[in-house]
Amino acid sequence: MIKKLSIFFIILTSTLFISGCESTGICVDPVTPNLMIGFTSYNNLENEEIVSPPSGLLIYGYKDGKDMLGNPESEEYPEYIYPDMRQANENKLIPLIFDVNKDNLTYIFEFVTDEETKIHDTISLSYKRKQIFINQNCGYKSTFYEVKIESFTKNAIEEATLLTQTIEYDTEKHINILLK
């Protein structure tokens, strides 16, 4: 009788232990959203319309207070944040990465019109961030709130408009850039 009770207790304990384990799930996609920007321009009728990003657009970021425009042969010279305009032209939105360790960021937009003409604009943002635990495989997700455009230059950009102050997903446009 004691032997049967011991076996029953072991089976019961094992069942409860296994059923109490939390499923960690599978994390296929990144969970922290990107900043999605899209472009508009005025058409011939002076109406605003959605346009593809300019084909000669390169986007850089600031790192540790230094802008990323510099000597491409230098070891410190970074890759572009978003150099693949073919994909951006298909989607008409460009995903840019938030810095989850800081409360602000600045992007440099380099519009290359020909080999000798480059026009630079910057957009600076501030935001607060919140981390949420997703599961063991995915880790934490950062969301961003109280997002503000602090400043932008107006060389090739006419206007930069923030469409939402809270960014939890990257399935829609967050910033609209009106080109001159």
Side-chain angles (χ1 to χ4, degrees), residues 76-91:
E76 294 181 17
Y77 194 75
E79 293 183 25
Y80 307 120
I81 291 175
Y82 203 86
D84 189 359
M85 288 300 124
R86 290 176 309 230
Q87 183 177 350
N89 283 324
E90 291 171 13
N91 299 334

Side-chain angles (χ1 to χ4, degrees), residues 66-135:
K66 299 177 187 174
D67 72 63
M68 299 306 213
L69 297 174
N71 181 2
E73 283 76 36
S74 165
E75 289 182 21
E76 294 181 17
Y77 194 75
E79 293 183 25
Y80 307 120
I81 291 175
Y82 203 86
D84 189 359
M85 288 300 124
R86 290 176 309 230
Q87 183 177 350
N89 283 324
E90 291 171 13
N91 299 334
K92 295 197 177 184
L93 291 178
I94 298 176
L96 298 177
I97 301 168
F98 275 102
D99 187 337
V100 297
N101 299 312
K102 295 185 179 177
D103 294 328
N104 55 51
L105 56 83
T106 299
Y107 290 112
I108 301 168
F109 293 77
E110 181 179 275
F111 298 90
V112 181
T113 55
D114 58 49
E115 286 185 24
E116 296 182 20
T117 307
K118 296 178 181 175
I119 301 170
H120 295 98
D121 275 308
T122 60
I123 296 178
S124 296
L125 302 170
S126 66
Y127 50 89
K128 294 184 179 177
R129 54 204 173 349
K130 178 176 158 185
Q131 291 198 339
I132 304 164
F133 182 74
I134 302 300
N135 61 39

Side-chain angles (χ1 to χ4, degrees), residues 8 14 16 20 30 42 46-49 60 66 73 77 79 82 84 97 99 111-112 139 151-152 160 165-166:
F8 176 75
S14 298
L16 290 174
Y42 288 118
E46 294 300 315
N47 294 320
E48 197 173 319
E49 66 181 355
Y60 305 84
K66 299 177 187 174
E73 283 76 36
Y77 194 75
E79 293 183 25
Y82 203 86
D84 189 359
I97 301 168
D99 187 337
F111 298 90
V112 181
S151 65
F152 65 93
Q165 291 186 328
T166 302

